Amino acid sequence: MGYKILAINPGSTSTKISVSNDDKFILVEDIVHTQEELKSFERISDQLNYRKEVILDELKKKGIPFRFDAIIGRGGLAKAVESGVYKVTTEMINAQLTAFHQHACDLGCAIAYEIGKEVGCCNCFIADPGVVDEMLPEAHISGTPLISRVCIWHALNQKAIARRFANDIGKRYEELNLIVCHLGGGISIAAHERGKAVDANNALNGEGPFSPERTGSLPVADLIHLCYSGKFTEQELITYISSKAGLTAHLGTNNCLEIERRIKCGDKHAELIFKAMAYHIAKSVAAEGAVLCGNIDAVIFTGGIARSTYMMDIFKKRLSYLAPIYIYPGQDEMLALTENAIAVLKGDRDAKDY
């Protein structure tokens, strides 16, 4: 029957769950939470019991027996860690629920732990949270000692896709130099050198190219002027740069299919903005070539926008000189979580202490 794995991926407006026997899924569900349901919770951490009960109810409705060899949750943003699978501990849960960067993913470990207690599963893990930090020492240095560069990126999906690519070409991830670009609501770009992401951007808080929802890097003096303009409170501006900017601010939507439809209908402004996003993404990808000293085995695009032929054609035109380009459209974080749990259970990977 193989190993039975429950994977849990909390997002801002939904909680994805999957149940698998080894890597064969017997259940994949995206449980949507309405704004009406969530507005009663003052903080994200207050949603813990609500989300746990919703998951248990869904498993009951689908007739899934409460017997699991492992439960693995999406990792949170509490502190920088090295890549790997981590055993869930009370220290980890406390750190995530009080993290400075509050995101629904911070609930992943706590939900896994609480469900584990209820169903009698002691193997509770997280894997490759968004704050995995393998960056070179010089990559952390900014132009002022008051601010250090940190990476908040799609580590789980990037690592999984990099390993999948390596397997597809008959090599090990640790043998390759790759540039991986995850194209979603936020855009993260990382230089993977022999199994370590030695440079990556802060894709949550405004570094790198602009994205469907985020500003990306901005001219510093102009940003300072905006801070003191009286148009925003501190929290409002943080929310704006991380979730209400980019394509959303320019075009009123973060839906790339809708934007491509507008372009086909002759909308020149939509075409300009979409091409501008592609331009800045390509420029940031090319910059990672310098990190790898031009020794690049492949450039890989993944995430939802990688399904856009329009966008991929632009990247092929601008970046083919760097290395062969490969496309792994979509993101399969549930499979990535499941594969990490199975690797530990099979002894192929050790679970680390947080």
Side-chain angles (χ1 to χ4, degrees), residues 158-230:
Q158 283 215 24
K159 289 277 185 177
I161 291 298
R163 290 190 180 97
R164 198 169 303 164
F165 168 74
N167 183 68
D168 288 347
I169 64 170
K171 293 193 174 182
R172 296 172 62 249
Y173 169 51
E174 291 77 12
E175 297 173 339
L176 299 172
N177 284 352
L178 307 170
I179 300 173
V180 183
C181 178
H182 179 108
L183 300 165
I187 292 173
S188 67
I189 302 166
H192 298 247
E193 184 174 38
R194 301 289 190 262
K196 289 190 176 183
V198 295
D199 190 77
N201 62 310
N202 184 336
L204 177 63
N205 288 338
E207 186 185 34
F210 75 84
S211 76
E213 298 175 355
R214 291 163 195 165
T215 62
S217 300
L218 296 170
V220 177
D222 291 334
L223 179 57
I224 292 171
H225 294 321
L226 190 60
C227 291
Y228 286 91
S229 67

Side-chain angles (χ1 to χ4, degrees), residues 46-308:
D46 296 333
Q47 300 173 17
L48 172 57
N49 287 330
Y50 160 73
R51 296 214 189 205
K52 179 195 75 173
E53 292 301 325
V54 167
I55 292 170
L56 292 173
D57 288 345
E58 190 68 23
L59 294 174
K60 286 176 186 175
K61 282 195 296 185
K62 293 298 191 292
I64 302 295
F66 288 179
R67 296 190 300 273
F68 305 105
D69 294 293
I71 303 174
I72 185 164
R74 184 179 175 188
L77 306 178
K79 69 175 185 179
V81 294
E82 63 181 15
S83 176
V85 183
Y86 288 84
K87 294 176 284 188
V88 175
T89 63
T90 54
E91 177 194 358
M92 176 193 293
I93 292 169
N94 290 335
Q96 303 291 8
L97 295 183
T98 58
F100 175 76
H101 297 288
Q102 282 293 295
H103 188 279
C105 65
D106 295 320
L107 297 170
C109 63
I111 297 172
Y113 185 80
E114 292 299 321
I115 291 179
K117 285 196 300 184
E118 290 210 17
V119 304
C121 177
C122 61
N123 291 313
C124 296
F125 308 116
I126 65 166
D128 284 334
V131 285
V132 164
D133 188 347
E134 303 170 316
M135 293 204 303
L136 297 168
E138 52 266 42
H140 285 285
I141 307 301
S142 79
T144 169
L146 300 176
I147 301 174
S148 295
R149 283 192 70 235
V150 299
C151 52
I152 302 178
W153 59 299
H154 301 89
L156 178 64
N157 192 54
Q158 283 215 24
K159 289 277 185 177
I161 291 298
R163 290 190 180 97
R164 198 169 303 164
F165 168 74
N167 183 68
D168 288 347
I169 64 170
K171 293 193 174 182
R172 296 172 62 249
Y173 169 51
E174 291 77 12
E175 297 173 339
L176 299 172
N177 284 352
L178 307 170
I179 300 173
V180 183
C181 178
H182 179 108
L183 300 165
I187 292 173
S188 67
I189 302 166
H192 298 247
E193 184 174 38
R194 301 289 190 262
K196 289 190 176 183
V198 295
D199 190 77
N201 62 310
N202 184 336
L204 177 63
N205 288 338
E207 186 185 34
F210 75 84
S211 76
E213 298 175 355
R214 291 163 195 165
T215 62
S217 300
L218 296 170
V220 177
D222 291 334
L223 179 57
I224 292 171
H225 294 321
L226 190 60
C227 291
Y228 286 91
S229 67
K231 295 179 180 178
F232 300 91
T233 65
E234 179 182 6
Q235 188 54 54
E236 285 171 345
L237 190 54
I238 289 172
T239 300
Y240 176 80
I241 67 169
S242 63
S243 62
K244 296 183 178 181
L247 297 180
T248 301
H250 281 289
L251 300 174
T253 180
N254 62 1
N255 189 321
C256 293
L257 291 177
E258 165 62 18
I259 294 169
E260 288 192 42
R261 185 196 65 78
R262 292 186 197 176
I263 293 171
K264 287 178 182 176
C265 291
D267 187 331
K268 294 300 182 183
H269 181 62
E271 182 179 22
L272 172 64
I273 300 302
F274 208 48
K275 283 185 174 180
M277 187 174 80
Y279 170 88
H280 287 287
I281 293 167
K283 189 167 66 169
S284 296
V285 168
E288 296 299 342
V291 175
L292 297 173
C293 301
N295 182 19
I296 310 160
D297 294 295
V299 175
I300 301 172
F301 289 96
T302 183
I305 304 175
R307 295 190 179 96
S308 168

